[in-house]
Amino acid sequence: MVSLRERLSGLFKGQEQLDLTEGGIGKPLLFLSLPIVVTNLLQTAYNLADTFWLGQFSTTALAAITFAFPMVFLLISLGMGVSVAGSILVAQNTGKGDTRAAEYAASQTVTFALLVSAVAGAVGYFFVDDFLALLGASAQTLPAATSYMQVIALGLPFMFGFFIFISLMRGAGDTVTPMLVMFGTVVLNILIDPVLIFGFDGNPLFSILSLQGLEASLLASTGYTGSGIAGAAIATIFSRALAMVVGLAIMFRGTRGIRIRLRDMSPDLEYAERIVKLGVPASIEGTGRALSVNLFLVIVALFPQTVVAAFGIGVRVFSVIFLPAIAVGRGVETMAGQNIGAGKPDRAASSAGIASGAMFVVLSAMGVVVFLFPGPIVGAFTSDPEVVEVGAEFLRWVAPSFGFIGVLRAYTGAFRGAGKTLVAAAISIATLAVIRLPFAWVASQYFPNVFPEARMGVWAAFFVSNALGALIAFSWYRTGSWRDADATAGSRPAPTDD
């Protein structure tokens, strides 16, 4: 009988089984990207678990998490550039066959990521209330959203630590190990989430498992009635802290993926310049995406709370659907990085072209399913019929644009892998800030009669921006100006092992 381990080995190829610079392109890209799909799906499970359990808690909590999630994204995006820079440097040095330089890049990346996350978390903690109020959170929603975000801000270094682990391992070509680590911590999060939200008083988890007697005994012995929305944040931070510890332990051992060394982690200001050069545009790209979501909330907040809650659910469903695009984009980033490091730009370009076509077909098919069955999808997160109706409406508007997201992600992944992070940032800003936000504002506020409901102008902005963003990315890819970049050029040699 085939063991579970053997079955998994057939689906997920380890780093030692993948050669990203030789042979075919489709299979290595698939085996590189498939674990990223699963890892990203598991990452999203954190947010989906919060959304599901808080949806059982109250509509106010659901609206609060809608405002909190974009701020989480913003804080993470501020430091995302460090992880992107580290992944690029590891990938290109790996492609060159310079293992020592790849290890040094990884070690420096960990150091600067923890420093950046500590600063971002401190700033976020003290200004979270003002920022959420600026976004338009109502007096009813603001206290709950603030309590959630303050916990997240304090735990930001733990979240960053694991994201860095994922990025560095991916740059070295190992996407399986982060997936396995993530799986264990997600299971932990899903189990402790309802306990920390509801405590042992009316906890739906105990009702689902028919363990009301056990719940009553625990309540009598502990008196714990839950921490509400803050409990969801505590569960997330605890789980990701455990993931970070495991990830760092794996990298210090160096038996899989990339190795980091304590003596290489002393801050190197000269190397920091290289990380900044690559990372700042990537941070701008990530921050631009986060700010666009936050500014989008300013527009959405002009509508009733049910619309805000529906938008929050819709965005989360939307994010799950295009996880394959994100994963393949990251896979292309690694393949492009390693092949450009190996002096094979044509192979890097081919990986982007193949990924783009495949993602357009796959995500368009997923869009058809979502378009046909939006109600049951939204209904899985809330029983409020008005929220279900508006959420289904949102999904019908965005579903036809899913294929364009795949095209956009594949090409921008190639640009980042080549070290052209500024190009990827420019495309992102053009798509979101120049197209999506203005369209949503103008269509919903100045031409509300064009659509049956004014809010539909906001939904339509997603379709228009995704289609035009894909066109811009494809046009830039066709110029070929990104193919001969080298992010490691001009750097001094990494310290030797002696």
Side-chain angles (χ1 to χ4, degrees):
M1 180 178 290
V2 179
S3 69
L4 177 61
R5 182 183 182 89
E6 290 171 331
R7 290 180 183 274
L8 289 175
S9 297
L11 287 174
F12 304 113
K13 302 297 184 183
Q15 178 189 21
E16 68 281 353
Q17 297 171 283
L18 293 178
D19 188 343
L20 305 183
T21 60
E22 297 288 348
I25 292 176
K27 285 186 177 180
L29 182 59
L30 174 64
F31 287 122
L32 184 68
S33 301
L34 185 58
I36 303 177
V37 173
V38 178
T39 301
N40 287 345
L41 183 61
L42 292 170
Q43 285 184 338
T44 304
Y46 281 99
N47 298 321
L48 292 179
D50 287 350
T51 302
F52 175 79
W53 292 117
L54 291 173
Q56 313 303 309
F57 190 71
S58 71
T59 300
T60 297
L62 194 59
I65 199 70
T66 300
F67 280 97
F69 180 72
M71 189 173 179
V72 174
F73 189 23
L74 176 60
L75 289 174
I76 292 173
S77 297
L78 288 173
M80 187 182 77
V82 180
S83 65
V84 170
S87 178
I88 293 169
L89 291 168
V90 168
Q92 292 199 9
N93 280 304
T94 299
K96 287 183 175 182
D98 193 341
T99 302
R100 188 68 191 93
E103 292 176 349
Y104 189 73
S107 302
Q108 287 293 306
T109 300
V110 171
T111 295
F112 288 109
L114 294 178
L115 291 174
V116 169
S117 63
V119 173
V123 172
Y125 180 84
F126 289 108
F127 292 98
V128 60
D129 190 73
D130 294 333
F131 187 81
L132 291 170
L134 183 64
L135 292 179
S138 66
Q140 181 182 10
T141 304
L142 184 59
T146 299
S147 65
Y148 181 90
M149 277 310 308
Q150 286 182 331
V151 174
I152 293 294
L154 290 176
L156 200 61
F158 299 116
M159 299 177 73
F160 266 45
F162 185 57
F163 292 149
I164 290 297
F165 166 63
I166 293 173
S167 296
L168 296 178
M169 296 289 279
R170 183 180 67 242
D174 184 350
T175 55
V176 174
T177 302
M179 176 190 71
L180 297 176
V181 175
M182 175 63 84
F183 176 77
T185 55
V186 166
V187 172
L188 174 64
N189 179 79
I190 292 174
L191 291 176
I192 66 177
D193 215 11
V195 173
L196 292 173
I197 293 171
F198 297 94
F200 304 115
D201 185 14
N203 190 323
L205 177 62
F206 286 90
S207 298
I208 293 172
L209 299 176
S210 299
L211 296 174
Q212 291 90 339
L214 175 61
E215 180 184 18
S217 299
L218 291 171
L219 178 62
S221 60
T222 65
Y224 183 55
T225 57
S227 301
I229 191 170
I234 294 170
T236 296
I237 293 301
F238 179 80
S239 300
R240 293 194 173 180
L242 180 59
M244 183 197 76
V245 171
V246 173
L248 289 177
I250 290 172
M251 289 193 294
F252 273 118
R253 289 178 59 191
T255 55
R256 294 189 62 85
I258 192 68
R259 181 179 183 180
I260 60 175
R261 301 168 186 263
L262 193 60
R263 68 173 182 270
D264 290 341
M265 295 179 70
S266 177
D268 181 341
L269 297 182
E270 182 179 339
Y271 208 88
E273 293 180 11
R274 184 168 298 275
I275 292 176
V276 168
K277 182 179 179 181
L278 290 170
V280 167
S283 286
I284 292 174
E285 178 186 356
T287 303
R289 289 183 183 278
L291 284 175
S292 74
V293 176
N294 287 318
L295 292 174
F296 226 84
L297 272 176
V298 174
I299 301 174
V300 174
L302 298 174
F303 296 93
Q305 182 170 280
T306 51
V307 176
V308 176
F311 177 72
I313 293 175
V315 167
R316 280 161 180 75
V317 173
F318 185 48
S319 66
V320 172
I321 292 299
F322 68 75
L323 281 177
I326 297 176
V328 171
R330 295 301 186 191
V332 171
E333 179 183 315
T334 300
M335 284 201 73
Q338 290 201 14
N339 280 286
I340 285 176
K344 299 180 178 181
D346 288 343
R347 185 176 171 84
S350 295
S351 68
I354 292 172
S356 173
M359 281 299 94
F360 183 80
V361 172
V362 170
L363 290 188
S364 293
M366 295 174 72
V368 170
V369 175
V370 172
F371 184 86
L372 293 176
F373 306 103
I377 294 172
V378 179
F381 297 96
T382 179
S383 58
D384 187 323
E386 189 173 354
V387 174
V388 171
E389 179 183 356
V390 177
E393 175 189 280
F394 170 64
L395 290 179
R396 283 197 182 97
W397 274 97
V398 301
S401 71
F402 286 173
F404 297 120
I405 295 171
V407 173
L408 176 62
R409 291 284 183 166
Y411 289 132
T412 54
F415 303 151
R416 280 191 299 270
K420 295 290 187 178
T421 51
L422 185 58
V423 172
I427 295 173
S428 175
I429 291 171
T431 301
L432 301 174
V434 179
I435 301 173
R436 181 176 296 178
L437 280 171
F439 187 101
W441 175 257
V442 172
S444 64
Q445 299 302 311
Y446 294 99
F447 298 97
N449 296 327
V450 173
F451 303 95
E453 297 287 345
R455 64 177 179 263
M456 292 184 183
V458 180
W459 309 155
F462 277 83
F463 178 88
V464 172
S465 60
N466 289 337
L468 292 180
L471 179 61
I472 294 170
F474 173 72
S475 300
W476 210 316
Y477 164 81
R478 292 286 293 175
T479 67
S481 59
W482 56 277
R483 292 159 48 103
D484 299 322
D486 184 354
T488 65
S491 61
R492 60 181 174 79
T496 64
D497 292 331
D498 296 333

